[in-house]
């Protein structure tokens, strides 16, 4: 993560990257909320490791945009630092097949200034990223996991509540960026 953060200054750059990602996805709406809630811990065999850990259940940024992920987008965001934007707009609408940095590439990784484990809900899935392997067992080989939203809602509705889907709905994408807690 230190190598990623070196490329991105702290501060408002993070918000610009989230705005740019929404624009690249052709979203027409972007909402950023500071969620001060502390959610109850959810003991769960569903999440390998400790995705329900107290560090991830506290205050967070919720970032909603009204564009949903495609399978190409899921692959792009899991390719750390490679991005998935195609020349011409990022949604595969251009005959040019050359890939370039953008669309959930290094820019999205600026959120690691705020969190160790960003998560999001989109297109019927919940995804979480853990490049430091603190919250997802064996995440060094695969730093992200994706779960079917319908299954998680049925078995662990309290965990899904952290994403504010009652307010935003399930159409579009909600990023949940649990804020790193400072300890003295």
């Amino acid at each position: 993560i230190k190598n990623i953060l070196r490329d991105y200054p702290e501060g408002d750059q993070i918000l610009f990257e989230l705005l740019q990602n929404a624009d690249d996805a052709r979203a027409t709406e972007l909402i950023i909320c500071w969620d001060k809630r502390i959610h109850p811990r959810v003991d769960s065999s569903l999440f390998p490791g400790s995705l329900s850990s107290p560090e991830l259940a506290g205050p967070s940024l919720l970032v909603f945009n009204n564009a949903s992920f495609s399978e190409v987008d899921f692959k792009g965001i899991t390719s750390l630092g490679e991005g998935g934007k195609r020349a011409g707009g990022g949604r595969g609408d251009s005959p040019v097949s050359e890939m370039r940095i953008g669309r959930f590439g290094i820019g999205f990784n600026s959120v690691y200034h705020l969190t160790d484990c960003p998560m999001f809900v989109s297109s019927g899935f919940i995804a979480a990223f853990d490049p430091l392997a603190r919250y997802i067992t064996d995440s060094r080989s695969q730093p992200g996991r994706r779960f079917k939203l319908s299954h998680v809602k049925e078995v662990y509705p309290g965990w899904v509540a952290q994403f504010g889907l009652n307010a935003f709905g399930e159409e579009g994408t909600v990023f949940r960026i649990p804020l790193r807690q400072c300890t003295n």
Side-chain angles (χ1 to χ4, degrees):
I1 287 180
K2 287 180 184 177
N3 291 335
I4 295 167
L5 296 181
R6 213 178 21 223
D7 294 333
Y8 285 89
E10 292 185 68
D12 57 5
Q13 178 70 26
I14 297 162
L15 298 177
F16 287 120
E17 294 297 343
L18 294 167
L19 176 62
Q20 183 62 54
N21 286 342
D23 184 59
D24 288 346
R26 294 196 174 106
T28 59
E29 185 176 8
L30 177 72
I31 300 170
I32 300 174
C33 297
W34 177 32
D35 181 2
K36 296 190 269 185
R37 297 176 295 171
I38 297 182
H39 300 277
R41 183 175 174 158
V42 177
D43 289 320
S44 164
S45 60
L46 171 71
F47 308 120
S50 57
L51 271 178
S52 60
S53 117
E55 293 99 20
L56 302 180
S60 64
L61 283 182
L62 296 176
V63 181
F64 167 80
N65 74 60
N66 62 346
S68 295
F69 267 56
S70 68
E71 193 58 36
V72 170
D73 295 332
F74 277 111
K75 287 179 182 173
I77 200 168
T78 60
S79 300
L80 192 67
E82 295 174 18
K85 183 191 286 184
R86 294 188 178 276
R91 300 300 288 179
D93 58 348
S94 169
V96 179
S97 61
E98 179 182 337
M99 300 297 274
R100 62 187 172 112
I101 298 300
R103 183 92 176 112
F104 306 118
I106 294 173
F108 173 75
N109 294 328
S110 65
V111 302
Y112 288 108
H113 279 293
L114 304 175
T115 189
D116 292 328
C117 191
M119 305 173 221
F120 68 92
V121 172
S122 189
S123 299
F125 291 96
I126 289 181
F129 299 100
D130 182 19
L132 297 176
R134 290 183 181 156
Y135 305 104
I136 302 174
T137 304
D138 191 31
S139 62
R140 289 195 196 283
S141 62
Q142 183 182 0
R145 293 285 198 282
R146 183 167 65 160
F147 308 95
K148 284 193 172 253
L149 179 60
S150 59
H151 177 70
V152 179
K153 280 175 63 174
E154 182 180 315
V155 181
Y156 304 104
W159 197 74
V160 175
Q162 297 178 32
F163 289 86
L165 296 179
N166 290 340
F168 299 122
E170 291 181 28
E171 295 298 318
T173 301
V174 178
F175 290 95
R176 184 168 187 278
I177 303 166
L179 300 174
R180 190 176 293 116
Q181 302 300 306
C182 296
T183 56
N184 293 333

